[in-house]
Amino acid sequence: MKKNFKIWISSALFLTSMFGCHESFLEEKVYDTLTPLNFYKTEADMQAGVISVYNAMHSNDCWGRQVWLAAEYPGESSWPNNSGEAWRSELDQYTWTPSSTGFKTIWAGLFRMVNRANTVMQYADGITYATPANKDQILAETRFLRGLAYLTLVRFFDHVPYVTVENTNDLYPTNANTDDQVWDLIIDDFKYALSVLPPVQTGRNIGRATSGAAQTMLTKAYLTRAGKPWNKAEYWPLAAEEANKIINNAAYGYGLHANYEDVFSIANEHGKEYIFSMELESGINLGKDLPTFTGIRSGNQLKLDGWSSLVAETKFFDSMDPKDKRRNKTFVVSYNDIRGNGTVYEYPKTITLPHFNKLINADDNKATGTGDYATNLPITRYSDVLLMHSEAENESKGPSAEAVKGINMVRQRAGLTPLTAGSMTKESLRDAIIQERSWELCEEGHAYFDLKRQNAIIKRITNFKPTEKSYAFPVPQDELDVNPNLQQHPAYK
């Protein structure tokens, strides 16, 4: 039953030309006679519209590739190994420009999510529903996804256009003086989703957004608002409060698996640590190439081979205690030759570079090609909540038993010594949390956001030369060229 939601997302591929008014943010092309005007007639049509927003999230412009890579490469843990498009090395080395190729695809992909969500909301009132609750569910999921897209936009670009149902037909929206409107929309969308969605999805709906996912993203929105560049300190206690509510809400059923490796297996993809993921499946056009990206090229590691395109920094590998129980799942320490000839490869003896192992699973064995793997990409999970709670508590009140509670739960599973609040300053605990998030959540799309929020890029990225400009992505030059109302980020003027 759990595959039904994934099948719906996959089947939404044929609808991608219909939903939203702007395919590349400015204009969405119509390839057939179906348009929102003649499509949205029934409740089933509305449900299909919601699925189309999930489908946009899966695109390579979003979490299917570019959002994931853009959040990872600028961090401390990974680098592109000189592979693929030049933009990857620009991210890694902090040498990007407004013309760097990936920015325009991320901008377009995330606004595609926003515009599809706005289209669903635009037509929601004109439909007859079996129950009022069904309409509420459609709107709540749609607003959750819109909030997620907008939160990601501001975490990357800072100042973005405010596009809602009311102005969705404006071809040239501005990003001047829109910050407060955009932040209000993000927070309101997550609050609405929190008030409507169930704490747990069951049966064929497993994988859809829940109230726990909404509350987690609300916490992340507060955390982001509190940190750089917004520096609204009043949001630290709000983030701590929301995270604490999640931790204490038994209805969510959240917890840490005893074994770190269990978090990432397909068999356990919706276990107690799961909150919200990019849902993937082999054989139905819903797989991705995440294991291929991180797998070892020509290393006889994977049946379909790897690309070594997102690999671990040697310094990061060395930073993890050999006794850390996460180490063997985080990194490729050793493996048997896939050909079954008895050869064993080990790092650093017969593996040249440290590679990640987190998204490579023995039970992900049904892929029909390098882009058809089924291991889900976690967008957020329970350990993220625990670490956000510690961060928010420390920033709002300083070191305390409450502030180290979450981080110590994460460290306990890893077999590490617990932190003692009395021996730490706010600054030393802040550094410990940044480091713990890096060890715990590497390869999951958090790195750049964590360093940015804590004003830690220049301090912690020492192998290159980031500057104040590095704390935001520029508005893509292609967008500036076609939209006279857009303004470049002040750091890039």
Side-chain angles (χ1 to χ4, degrees):
M1 293 291 286
K2 72 177 182 179
K3 288 187 178 180
N4 283 21
F5 175 57
K6 296 184 179 184
I7 292 171
W8 289 339
I9 298 173
S10 177
S11 66
L13 286 169
F14 82 97
L15 296 172
T16 56
S17 65
M18 296 188 306
F19 301 109
C21 296
H22 312 99
E23 180 65 26
S24 61
F25 180 48
L26 292 177
E27 184 176 4
E28 180 158 88
K29 302 173 182 65
V30 179
Y31 295 98
D32 53 37
T33 57
L34 285 174
T35 69
L37 287 172
N38 62 26
F39 177 78
Y40 288 107
K41 301 296 183 183
T42 68
E43 182 177 323
D45 298 337
M46 297 303 298
Q47 293 286 3
V50 177
I51 296 300
S52 80
V53 189
Y54 282 104
N55 180 265
M57 185 186 81
H58 281 67
S59 78
N60 283 352
D61 294 346
C62 290
W63 279 267
R65 179 173 293 185
Q66 300 292 49
V67 165
W68 174 54
L69 295 181
E72 277 300 309
Y73 283 142
E76 300 173 271
S77 63
S78 64
W79 68 294
N81 191 23
N82 305 310
S83 67
E85 56 188 334
W87 177 68
R88 298 176 192 171
S89 293
E90 292 169 357
L91 285 172
D92 177 54
Q93 298 171 20
Y94 285 84
T95 58
W96 60 69
T97 71
S99 297
S100 296
T101 56
F103 296 142
K104 65 180 180 181
T105 58
I106 291 174
W107 182 281
L110 290 170
F111 271 111
R112 187 179 299 117
M113 277 184 69
V114 169
N115 288 316
R116 290 186 185 180
N118 284 339
T119 301
V120 172
M121 295 170 65
Q122 179 180 353
Y123 290 92
D125 288 341
I127 302 299
T128 300
Y129 300 87
T131 68
N134 289 2
K135 178 182 178 182
D136 293 341
Q137 166 262 317
I138 286 170
L139 289 174
E141 281 189 78
T142 301
R143 293 186 66 174
F144 170 82
L145 293 168
R146 184 176 70 171
L148 176 62
Y150 254 124
L151 178 59
T152 307
L153 280 163
V154 298
R155 293 169 91 193
F156 279 139
F157 299 101
D158 290 352
H159 314 296
V160 299
Y162 174 73
V163 182
T164 66
V165 174
E166 288 72 23
N167 69 336
T168 194
N169 291 321
D170 184 356
L171 290 179
Y172 303 109
T174 183
N175 61 342
N177 303 313
T178 59
D179 294 347
D180 288 343
Q181 288 177 299
V182 170
W183 273 111
D184 287 347
L185 178 146
I186 291 168
I187 291 169
D188 288 347
D189 277 355
F190 289 142
K191 283 183 175 180
Y192 180 81
L194 169 60
S195 71
V196 172
L197 293 174
V200 177
Q201 297 282 10
T202 59
R204 64 183 185 177
N205 291 319
I206 291 176
R208 302 179 83 128
T210 63
S211 56
Q215 193 161 27
T216 299
M217 298 315 297
L218 178 61
T219 303
K220 198 171 289 291
Y222 286 154
L223 210 71
T224 303
R225 192 76 160 123
K228 189 181 178 91
W230 313 104
N231 300 315
K232 303 286 187 181
E234 64 269 26
Y235 284 89
W236 290 120
L238 294 178
E241 180 182 8
E242 290 301 324
N244 196 52
K245 289 178 181 177
I246 298 167
I247 293 167
N248 293 323
N249 191 336
Y252 292 151
Y254 296 148
L256 294 178
H257 293 286
N259 185 347
Y260 185 71
E261 186 170 356
D262 291 343
V263 177
F264 306 100
S265 70
I266 291 178
N268 208 31
E269 64 187 3
H270 299 117
K272 61 183 178 180
E273 199 157 335
Y274 155 82
I275 295 180
F276 188 69
S277 298
M278 180 175 68
E279 300 286 327
L280 302 176
E281 189 67 44
S282 298
I284 60 170
N285 201 29
L286 199 66
K288 287 294 179 184
D289 54 15
L290 310 184
T292 308
F293 249 84
T294 62
I296 300 174
R297 181 182 292 275
S298 302
N300 300 317
Q301 179 198 21
L302 302 177
K303 181 178 67 174
L304 299 171
D305 205 10
W307 294 341
S308 295
S309 292
L310 192 149
V311 299
E313 293 274 9
T314 302
K315 182 179 178 181
F316 179 67
F317 178 91
D318 293 342
S319 76
M320 185 176 281
D321 190 327
K323 296 179 182 179
D324 192 314
K325 295 179 180 179
R326 296 169 293 197
R327 188 170 182 263
N328 285 1
K329 181 55 182 172
T330 300
F331 303 113
V332 179
V333 177
S334 67
Y335 66 93
N336 296 321
D337 193 304
I338 192 69
R339 297 170 296 181
N341 58 14
T343 301
V344 178
Y345 299 89
E346 298 179 62
Y347 177 80
K349 295 179 181 178
T350 50
I351 305 172
T352 306
L353 298 172
H355 281 69
F356 288 113
N357 190 45
K358 183 180 285 189
L359 299 178
I360 295 174
N361 292 298
D363 61 352
D364 192 354
N365 55 15
K366 297 179 181 177
T368 58
T370 56
D372 191 40
Y373 285 98
T375 296
N376 288 354
L377 177 68
I379 293 175
T380 184
R381 54 187 176 89
Y382 186 56
S383 59
D384 184 19
V385 172
L386 294 174
L387 292 169
M388 287 195 294
H389 180 256
S390 286
E391 180 179 345
E393 281 286 340
N394 182 53
E395 295 298 335
S396 57
K397 300 177 184 177
S400 66
E402 187 70 8
V404 299
K405 178 177 70 176
I407 189 173
N408 279 342
M409 291 174 67
V410 173
R411 289 176 63 85
Q412 180 181 12
R413 176 174 65 180
L416 301 179
T417 304
L419 303 179
T420 304
S423 65
M424 307 192 81
T425 64
K426 177 183 281 191
E427 290 72 24
S428 64
L429 182 52
R430 178 187 298 135
D431 288 342
I433 292 167
I434 294 172
Q435 183 63 69
E436 199 66 47
R437 287 185 64 85
S438 185
W439 287 330
E440 175 72 18
L441 300 170
C442 63
E443 204 188 351
E444 296 178 46
H446 298 272
Y448 179 67
F449 303 137
D450 290 346
L451 294 179
K452 173 178 177 172
R453 180 178 66 250
Q454 284 293 356
N455 192 24
I457 291 174
I458 295 174
K459 176 182 178 180
R460 297 182 71 96
I461 302 298
T462 57
N463 50 337
F464 299 109
K465 296 181 179 179
T467 65
E468 277 301 313
K469 183 188 293 188
S470 305
Y471 284 92
F473 288 172
V475 175
Q477 188 61 49
D478 284 4
E479 296 294 339
L480 293 169
D481 290 342
V482 297
N483 183 349
N485 294 329
L486 278 180
Q487 297 183 10
Q488 183 56 274
H489 192 287
Y492 291 86
K493 288 183 176 180

